[in-house]
Amino acid sequence: MLQVKNLNKSFWKTEVLHDVNIEFEEGKIYGLLGRNGAGKTTLMKILSNYIVNFEGDVELNGEEVKENQKATEEILLVHKDMVPSAIADEKVKTLFQYCSQLMPKWNRKLNEKLVDEFEINIKAKYAKLSEGKKNLVTLIIGLSSGVTVKLFDEPTVGLDANNRYKFYKKLLELHEEQKDTVVISSHIIDEIENVIEDVIIIKDKTILMNEEIASVQEKAIALIGEESLLKEIQMSKNVLEVEKLGKLAKVSIYDSLSLEERKKLTDQGIELSIIPLQRLFVHLT
């Protein structure tokens, strides 16, 4: 388990994260959401020991992560700029060789399989690849790393639809085998809604939401029906938005509805539907 306790981080006099407390359980996939500048990347850099100047604690299975080689060998932050410019002119094959030397649990057979599946020319220089291919190389590094905690920061930037689908399919397949902890930070929320198990939203420097996706989907409901029949809902539930549709109204809520309440509403001819996570995120932030 990866734990964050009472985390505070500022850059100069600007506070970026305030009193953040989270637990990332083994064997789960998390979606880390937030608007630009919310602190998502900073949090992931702290988790992976890129940033060590902060207040609070980050622990992996009870051990402090900060400046702990053993712990940080189990955590990898995967992002589009993870290949240093000093070695960007090396061939892709050489980059993978470096990774095999630096990562104790590097999976060579898996790496070779992924190279074939994503059609990567390992004899090409990394710097000469397209942006999409460069990103695929970093994703292959992440999947082949063998670490128990994988942090993906905007993993599908520059990828076409086919490769985005293939990446998430492969991520889920490997996750089922490895039972690793995966955190995905992405602005393409619709894309990850069916991949993640828990949703974490950062707003105003702290954690706004930390819930299982099933619970979120159960409470994020849009109701469409006669406006007069939805008055009670507007008075008793946490309403996100009300839209007028002629004689009808659409009321979006984030709240619990009992089976009895749902039956009563549907019996009145009110239509209930799940609000997509992306839409809910916009409402909440």
Side-chain angles (χ1 to χ4, degrees), residues 12 14 22 49 58 61 71 76 89 92 101 135-136 140 169 176 180 184 202 212 218 220 235 261 277 280:
W12 299 100
T14 302
I22 324 174
N49 219 21
V58 178
N61 299 325
L76 182 65
D89 280 327
V92 174
Q101 295 165 6
N135 201 28
L136 281 174
I140 289 172
K169 183 173 183 289
E176 188 64 27
D180 50 0
I184 304 170
I202 300 180
E212 292 185 352
E218 190 173 300
M235 296 292 291
E261 288 175 314
L277 184 58
L280 176 65

Side-chain angles (χ1 to χ4, degrees), residues 99-114:
C99 291
S100 69
Q101 295 165 6
L102 294 170
M103 300 176 184
K105 296 183 179 180
W106 179 260
N107 190 327
R108 181 179 59 82
K109 288 185 178 180
L110 175 59
N111 177 250
E112 291 172 353
K113 183 179 178 182
L114 293 172

Side-chain angles (χ1 to χ4, degrees), residues 75 83 186:
I75 305 170
V83 175
S186 176

Side-chain angles (χ1 to χ4, degrees), residues 8 27 38 58 65 94 100 105 128 158 209 250 260 277 281 284:
N8 295 278
V58 178
V65 169
T94 305
S100 69
K105 296 183 179 180
K128 298 296 184 180
M209 174 187 288
K250 178 181 178 182
E260 184 180 348
L277 184 58
F281 172 78
L284 295 176

Side-chain angles (χ1 to χ4, degrees), residues 201-233:
I201 297 179
I202 300 180
K203 181 185 177 186
D204 296 332
K205 310 164 195 172
T206 192
I207 304 301
L208 173 68
M209 174 187 288
N210 184 4
E211 287 196 56
E212 292 185 352
I213 185 70
S215 173
V216 171
Q217 291 171 334
E218 190 173 300
K219 292 190 287 187
I221 305 169
L223 305 96
I224 299 177
E226 290 185 28
E227 186 178 1
S228 60
L229 298 176
L230 292 171
K231 291 292 186 184
E232 183 179 341
I233 285 290

Side-chain angles (χ1 to χ4, degrees), residues 30 33 42 65 110 115 142 163 189 191 228:
Y30 293 82
L33 311 179
T42 298
V65 169
L110 175 59
V115 164
N163 279 321
I189 299 173
E191 192 174 73
S228 60

